[in-house]
Amino acid sequence: MAGFLTGVVVAVHFAALIYIGLGGFLAWRWPKSIFVHIFFAAWGVAINTVPGLLCPLTTAEDYLRAQRGLGPLPGGFNEYYIYDHLIPRSLLPVVAVVAVVLLVVSYVGVFVLWRRRRALVTQ
């Protein structure tokens, strides 16, 4: 059972990372979802910049791995699953810039659409 739950946590973790990167675009369709995305985006930035702050999903995965007799993820989730497996380390700065650009574009789009909807309501 712990193996299955570990897999679920890994899947949720990947989904959370995708949501952090692209979830702002969902707010173009569902404007109120921007508040959830702001929390996730801020949390994602904090996890990667504040020393000692642990991701609860990584903590859950480490706990489930311990239940299976395995050690914690060496270096954390990103280090174990993403760096050098999905994204070469040499491209990490480029990926970071692209992620920030996507976030800014999605938020600008949310603002523009919000203004447009608001203008239609006040007419």
Side-chain angles (χ1 to χ4, degrees):
M1 183 63 144
F4 171 75
L5 292 175
T6 302
V8 169
V9 170
V10 169
V12 168
H13 212 151
F14 273 111
L17 289 177
I18 291 168
Y19 181 70
I20 288 169
L22 301 173
F25 292 104
L26 290 176
W28 290 19
R29 175 69 175 97
W30 299 287
K32 291 182 182 178
S33 72
I34 194 67
F35 300 110
V36 175
H37 188 264
I38 289 170
F39 170 78
F40 269 86
W43 183 257
V45 168
I47 288 296
N48 287 292
T49 59
V50 176
L53 187 60
L54 301 175
C55 174
L57 292 170
T58 302
T59 303
E61 186 176 353
D62 284 345
Y63 171 79
L64 292 167
R65 287 173 58 89
Q67 298 300 309
R68 297 170 49 211
L70 302 171
L73 290 173
F77 183 86
N78 293 348
E79 183 78 29
Y80 189 76
Y81 290 109
I82 297 175
Y83 304 157
D84 291 330
H85 298 283
L86 296 177
I87 301 170
R89 286 184 191 276
S90 61
L91 290 180
L92 288 177
V94 174
V95 170
V97 169
V98 169
V100 169
V101 167
L102 285 172
L103 184 73
V104 169
V105 167
S106 71
Y107 282 18
V108 167
V110 167
F111 178 74
V112 168
L113 291 170
W114 173 76
R115 295 269 310 215
R116 191 175 294 156
R117 287 179 183 125
R118 189 168 175 209
L120 290 173
V121 170
T122 58
Q123 288 181 350

